[in-house]
Amino acid sequence: MTAVTNQTLPTALDLPIVDPLPPETQKYFDICVEKLGFVPNVLKAYAFDIDKLNAFTANYNDLMLGDSGLSKLEREMIAVVVSAINKCFYCLVAHGAAVRQMSGNPQLGEMLVMNYRVAPLDERQRAMLDFAAKMTTASTEIEEPDRQRLRDVGFSDRDIWDIANVTGFFNMSNRVASATAMAPNDEYHAQAR
């Protein structure tokens, strides 16, 4: 068991991690260390309030790891495109690393970070990312033809719900990360090599 300590706060706010962490939270952080080699700073940022951390992780895990017609890679691609539009440094680094790792294509991650329109995407992925981009920049302009375009490339209405929810989640988390100067873990940068 590796106890998480308050060495450096992950944001510009003076909100130290609960110390000691409740056993179930410490177990979750230990699993992160086992699987990733570190505890993502976003989790440390929320760990000043265990109820807020639990709400965040439950929502994140449901959207990003739960049952869906979207692959885990597609959900990460949405995270990167939304974060690129919002210029969220934390999420671009963290989710860009996930795209590189999941796709096995480091160039794809970089293309999505810079401009997803230059990436070699299939019609389904392009439609999904166009919808996420429009929702990020002009959600009130989404109309039935936008949803129909997703259906036309094979997305179900449940898939459209998932695209909208992943997009909405990252618009929220981008804003929180940017507003609090949340710093990405150095380990994400090491994964780029």
Side-chain angles (χ1 to χ4, degrees):
M1 180 200 268
T2 308
V4 173
T5 62
N6 294 327
Q7 302 142 337
T8 306
L9 294 175
T11 70
L13 305 178
D14 186 14
L15 298 170
I17 296 171
V18 170
D19 189 17
L21 289 171
E24 55 279 353
T25 305
Q26 185 62 59
K27 181 179 178 185
Y28 184 70
F29 280 19
D30 290 342
I31 290 168
C32 289
V33 170
E34 180 183 314
K35 290 186 174 188
L36 303 172
F38 60 96
V39 176
N41 281 345
V42 67
L43 300 180
K44 292 179 187 177
Y46 276 91
F48 75 93
D49 182 318
I50 300 306
D51 289 337
K52 290 189 185 318
L53 172 66
N54 290 341
F56 176 84
T57 58
N59 196 19
Y60 177 89
N61 289 339
D62 177 57
L63 291 172
M64 299 301 285
L65 305 173
D67 186 37
S68 175
L70 306 178
S71 70
K72 290 177 185 174
L73 174 59
E74 287 171 329
R75 290 177 264 186
E76 291 291 347
M77 291 168 72
I78 292 170
V80 172
V81 168
V82 170
S83 300
I85 293 166
N86 292 327
K87 297 177 176 51
C88 177
F89 181 54
Y90 182 95
C91 290
L92 282 171
V93 172
H95 296 283
V99 167
R100 287 190 301 273
Q101 182 181 41
M102 287 181 176
S103 69
N105 181 352
Q107 292 173 335
L108 176 62
E110 299 307 314
M111 288 178 194
L112 294 179
V113 164
M114 298 305 288
N115 176 4
Y116 76 94
R117 291 172 182 90
V118 303
L121 304 172
D122 62 30
E123 187 179 14
R124 173 184 157 97
Q125 293 166 334
R126 178 61 187 261
M128 175 188 75
L129 296 178
D130 284 345
F131 187 90
K134 185 172 185 178
M135 187 176 155
T136 299
T137 61
S139 63
T140 62
E141 295 176 17
I142 291 178
E143 296 179 334
E144 187 56 28
D146 299 301
R147 290 182 289 273
Q148 189 58 49
R149 179 171 178 226
L150 292 173
R151 291 183 190 107
D152 291 346
V153 296
F155 288 109
S156 69
D157 281 9
R158 166 59 198 269
D159 296 337
I160 296 168
W161 176 265
D162 289 351
I163 293 166
N165 275 269
V166 171
T167 301
F169 178 85
F170 281 97
N171 273 293
M172 181 275 297
S173 60
N174 288 170
R175 284 157 175 76
V176 171
S178 294
T180 62
M182 191 178 296
N185 300 70
D186 289 339
E187 291 88 347
Y188 289 124
H189 297 291
Q191 292 173 355
R193 293 183 205 135

